[in-house]
Amino acid sequence: MPRILLLSILLLAACQQSAPAEFAPSACETKHFEGSGFVACAVEGGAVELHTFDKAGAPMRSFSNLQASLGKRAPNVAFAMNAGMFDDEGRPIGLLIEGGEQKHAINLRKGGGNFHLLPNGVFLVRKSGKAEVVPSTAYEPSKDIAFATQSGPMLLIDGKLHPKFDQDGPSQNIRNGVGIAPDGTAVFVISQDPVSFGRFARFFRDRVRARNALYFDGVVSSLWDPAGHRMDSHTEIGPMAVVFVAPRPASARRKQ
């Protein structure tokens, strides 16, 4: 066999065995609803984690710092999104659990701002990988919870819009949040246009078909989509939800 042909075959085989995540299709899809654009990101079977602090315990504040912190795991990131409200230093103001360790206690105090537009809620991931969105008042601590972040307000509660939302109120912002699809997949959404709380919540209800959904933030809303060559850096952020590509089935690996 000619040497050039042999090298070509070996190179092709190597590429098939270790195709990097950046060549996978984007996990994010643009959708249109009520005249506005939304980017919905989800990975069925993908691992969901929360990352806020670097190894020294300081808030990372950006996707570029997150990428560096993940090291060899970074190529397996499907997407990441800001995930919870924070103070001026980037530290969470509500419940935060990372790797089964509680970093901040749940916050049930009353106050002003979106976080305190009650009921607010908790996005959590159990050690089994199951993701849930629950109102903060219904949250139950458990050793089974691997990751959790508190934010607010709730967008949907048992299929109904937050009771304080107008149909299409005057407050219009780029917004992002998370809802649980009927199959249990966590669907993360960021609007392309400034939208009201009402329209944003209806997107989760009518397009994602979620029964429970949680608002993460507005104005600072940011997305890292490696396959889509997008890494927002217009502002510093706090907690970040990271979703990794789903592992390939064993049968697919054996066929290579």
Side-chain angles (χ1 to χ4, degrees):
M1 180 181 294
R3 183 180 180 185
I4 294 179
L5 178 58
L6 177 60
L7 289 174
S8 298
I9 293 173
L10 292 174
L11 179 60
L12 178 61
C15 290
Q16 290 176 336
Q17 291 174 3
S18 58
E22 60 263 30
F23 291 111
S26 174
C28 301
E29 181 181 359
T30 300
K31 300 177 180 292
H32 296 279
F33 177 76
E34 293 185 1
S36 298
F38 299 84
V39 178
C41 305
V43 177
E44 184 178 358
V48 183
E49 299 181 3
L50 289 162
H51 292 263
T52 306
F53 305 100
D54 60 22
K55 294 180 180 179
M60 286 186 283
R61 308 307 310 270
S62 71
F63 293 134
S64 58
N65 288 338
L66 170 65
Q67 183 180 31
S69 177
L70 289 172
K72 293 181 179 179
R73 301 182 68 203
N76 292 321
V77 172
F79 65 89
M81 192 176 284
N82 62 294
M85 296 185 181
F86 50 92
D87 62 18
D88 292 340
E89 295 180 351
R91 298 181 182 277
I93 62 174
L95 177 70
L96 185 73
I97 297 174
E98 293 186 10
E101 180 181 353
Q102 181 172 293
K103 305 289 188 178
H104 194 287
I106 195 162
N107 182 347
L108 299 178
R109 297 190 300 272
K110 294 181 179 180
N114 292 331
F115 181 87
H116 295 288
L117 185 58
L118 305 179
N120 56 29
V122 174
F123 169 69
L124 64 90
V125 182
R126 299 192 181 275
K127 292 180 180 178
S128 65
K130 181 183 179 183
E132 301 174 27
V133 170
V134 298
S136 296
T137 52
Y139 169 75
E140 297 182 359
S142 171
K143 293 181 179 179
D144 182 49
I145 297 174
F147 299 93
T149 183
Q150 184 182 7
S151 192
M154 288 284 289
L155 295 169
L156 295 176
I157 308 161
D158 292 329
K160 296 181 179 180
L161 271 64
H162 191 291
K164 296 182 180 179
F165 290 172
D166 294 328
Q167 176 73 12
D168 198 28
S171 175
Q172 308 272 323
N173 276 309
I174 302 293
R175 304 185 187 275
N176 76 297
V178 63
I180 309 300
D183 67 356
T185 301
V187 181
F188 295 79
V189 177
I190 183 170
S191 67
Q192 290 185 313
D193 314 310
V195 295
S196 65
F197 273 122
R199 182 172 298 177
F200 194 52
R202 287 192 298 275
F203 178 86
F204 278 99
R205 183 192 66 186
D206 299 341
R207 295 299 299 272
V208 178
R209 303 295 181 186
R211 289 190 57 78
N212 293 287
L214 178 65
Y215 179 66
F216 278 150
D217 220 323
V219 182
V220 305
S221 299
S222 303
L223 170 66
W224 174 25
D225 173 16
H229 306 289
R230 174 176 175 176
M231 180 184 279
D232 294 343
S233 59
H234 58 277
T235 187
E236 292 183 314
I237 52 180
M240 291 169 274
V242 187
V243 182
F244 295 88
V245 295
R248 290 174 297 171
S251 57
R253 294 195 296 268
R254 287 196 296 269
K255 290 179 181 179
Q256 292 186 354

